[in-house]
Amino acid sequence: MQHRIVVLGAGYTGAVAAGRLAKRLRREDVAITLVNAEPDFVERVRMHQLAVGQELRPRSLHEMFADTGVEVRLAKVTGVDVDRGTVAVTDPDHPGEERELEYDTLVYALGSAWNHQGVPGTVEHAHEIAGRPGALRLRERLAGLDAGASVVVVGGGLTGLEAATEIAESRPDLEVSLAARGALGDWLSPKGRRHLRKVFGTLGITAYENAEVAEVAADHVATADGATIPAAVTLWTAGFAVHPIARATTLNVTDTGQIVVDGTMRSVSHPDVYAIGDAAMAAGPGGKPLRMSCASGTPTAWQAADSIAARLTGGKLPNAPLRYFNQCISLGRREGLIQYVTADDRAVGAALTGRFAAVYKELVCKAAAWGVANPTLGVPARRRAVTRAEVRPAAV
């Protein structure tokens, strides 16, 4: 009987994990199912580009995984029973009918969505670009704005910086501003901060620093100190929240709902469950939690897939370090910032800026998408026989 591996989510991490497992294990020994609600792979790191009207090349999951041994199942995950080893899903053709998938090994890669943080008015009035639907809604709204309209981006992290600069560059007729809880780019090196301020000045972006947004209204945002910032459109980028399904299970999760894993991305409470990407609470250098990002997610997918394959085939467990090298920030299509960092993600003095940095970031984005279709990074497949698989009894 084949060992059943179910991967939930076909973002960067889930797609890489499924493809890598197919390269590591013999097809006759395993049945790999990749479950995703959308038919295409979405380049999440480009959602700010989609929001301003740029067209992204569609990447069909069925075409991407054709002849790989991975079965793509288009369905929405509605629940997971880790004690019975089942996943509840609804198919697009039968939205009111819930069905079950049984697994022997589960890879949980459902990722994250925007985090409105309970700020009043955010759900009703703010836009988000954590996924394709939100980016398309913002795209339609921006296209309908008249010249001189105000757009406020809330959040001074990587997503906020990329969104604000992309909007300002593509729509110089709009009044674009960014509200950051701290100083603009306060985690960057001095060189990085100087370049960021230079780009903001060139693009005419107003930075509201040390401005914690306390309320979002239809035509403005209000800060905790009582200030009001006009906003025909508010884009909320202040953090991400993980998918809520894991919290509803008996898995060991954190207060934020992330699944607690060991160094092989295996759940510390359920050994047949692995969590990767934003869904996992994984430790990097010095025990510091990895941040939610593509830079964290892809290495955790490699780690999980190789660990699963090693345990099933009797091979050696991987011991690759999970670390950072740089933070790549696009500042529109013509400017960029590559901030080099320590292994635990602290900025060092070195940084690349300008057009070369923009090209560098574009290559990183293309490489990330290429890596999904080439999960072993071009190394030929070495499929091994499963020798230690344990198949669950049928769920009751």
Side-chain angles (χ1 to χ4, degrees):
M1 183 178 292
Q2 289 179 309
H3 186 85
R4 300 161 299 183
I5 302 174
V6 174
V7 181
L8 304 183
Y12 289 98
T13 58
V16 166
R20 198 171 177 96
L21 283 165
K23 295 279 191 177
R24 296 282 189 254
L25 300 169
R26 293 198 316 184
R27 295 185 184 183
E28 58 265 37
D29 294 340
V30 294
I32 303 171
T33 303
L34 177 61
V35 183
N36 199 61
E38 297 186 52
D40 295 331
F41 168 72
V42 176
E43 292 185 83
R44 191 176 185 183
V45 296
R46 294 189 186 274
M47 289 301 96
H48 55 286
Q49 295 176 239
L50 183 64
V52 299
Q54 297 171 33
E55 296 299 333
L56 304 182
R57 181 166 69 90
R59 299 173 183 271
S60 165
L61 290 172
H62 283 293
E63 292 179 7
M64 187 178 294
F65 287 98
D67 301 321
T68 65
V70 175
E71 177 192 358
V72 176
R73 176 75 176 269
L74 294 183
K76 179 181 179 181
V77 179
T78 58
V80 176
D81 189 330
V82 293
D83 299 313
R84 294 176 60 241
T86 61
V87 177
V89 302
T90 56
D91 296 326
D93 296 335
H94 305 87
E97 181 181 344
E98 197 169 74
R99 304 184 181 189
E100 279 192 347
L101 301 177
E102 297 182 350
Y103 67 81
D104 302 307
T105 297
L106 179 70
V107 181
Y108 188 104
L110 289 179
S112 62
W114 72 309
N115 185 359
H116 56 76
Q117 300 179 352
V119 174
T122 305
V123 173
E124 296 84 357
H125 302 298
H127 288 266
E128 50 86 13
I129 54 171
R132 182 179 174 85
L136 289 175
R137 285 192 293 270
L138 177 60
R139 175 178 179 157
E140 183 178 3
R141 183 71 179 95
L142 290 174
L145 291 180
D146 294 329
S150 55
V151 176
V152 176
V153 178
V154 179
L158 303 185
T159 304
L161 297 179
E162 294 194 328
T165 51
E166 200 76 52
I167 294 170
E169 181 185 87
S170 65
R171 290 291 305 273
D173 59 320
L174 300 178
E175 298 293 331
V176 180
S177 61
L178 180 141
R181 180 174 293 180
L184 183 64
D186 55 8
W187 76 94
L188 298 169
S189 66
K191 180 179 180 180
R193 291 195 297 272
R194 287 194 301 271
H195 185 69
L196 180 61
R197 290 186 181 279
K198 175 185 175 182
V199 173
F200 265 49
T202 300
L203 294 175
I205 303 171
T206 301
Y208 293 92
E209 302 179 77
N210 303 305
E212 182 174 354
V213 173
E215 182 181 4
V216 178
D219 60 355
H220 70 274
V221 299
T223 63
D225 61 4
T228 297
I229 306 173
V233 171
T234 298
L235 172 58
W236 190 272
T237 69
F240 297 95
V242 298
H243 200 289
I245 283 180
R247 191 191 294 273
T249 70
T250 56
L251 287 164
N252 187 332
V253 300
T254 66
D255 292 340
T256 61
Q258 290 177 294
I259 299 170
V260 182
V261 297
D262 62 17
T264 66
M265 303 301 112
R266 194 184 205 180
S267 163
V268 298
S269 61
H270 291 73
D272 54 352
V273 176
Y274 292 73
I276 54 180
D278 292 355
M281 174 51 71
K288 183 179 178 180
L290 298 177
R291 61 179 164 88
M292 293 185 181
S293 66
C294 183
S296 305
T298 300
T300 65
W302 295 338
Q303 191 87 326
D306 291 353
S307 297
I308 292 169
R311 288 189 168 108
L312 291 178
T313 63
K316 183 179 179 181
L317 285 172
N319 190 30
L322 298 173
R323 57 155 298 162
Y324 297 99
F325 297 94
N326 53 42
Q327 294 181 9
C328 303
I329 311 169
S330 66
L331 302 173
R333 296 298 87 206
R334 296 184 292 272
E335 283 280 357
L337 171 59
I338 309 301
Q339 176 62 65
Y340 293 102
V341 298
T342 60
D344 63 351
D345 209 30
R346 290 175 291 113
V348 298
L352 294 178
T353 61
R355 178 61 181 168
F356 184 77
V359 173
Y360 187 114
K361 172 62 189 288
E362 178 61 21
L363 290 175
V364 167
C365 291
K366 289 182 177 178
W370 179 86
V372 172
N374 300 272
T376 56
L377 305 182
V379 177
R382 297 184 61 188
R383 297 183 177 91
R384 302 181 185 277
V386 171
T387 60
R388 299 182 178 183
E390 293 183 4
V391 178
R392 276 179 174 268
V396 295

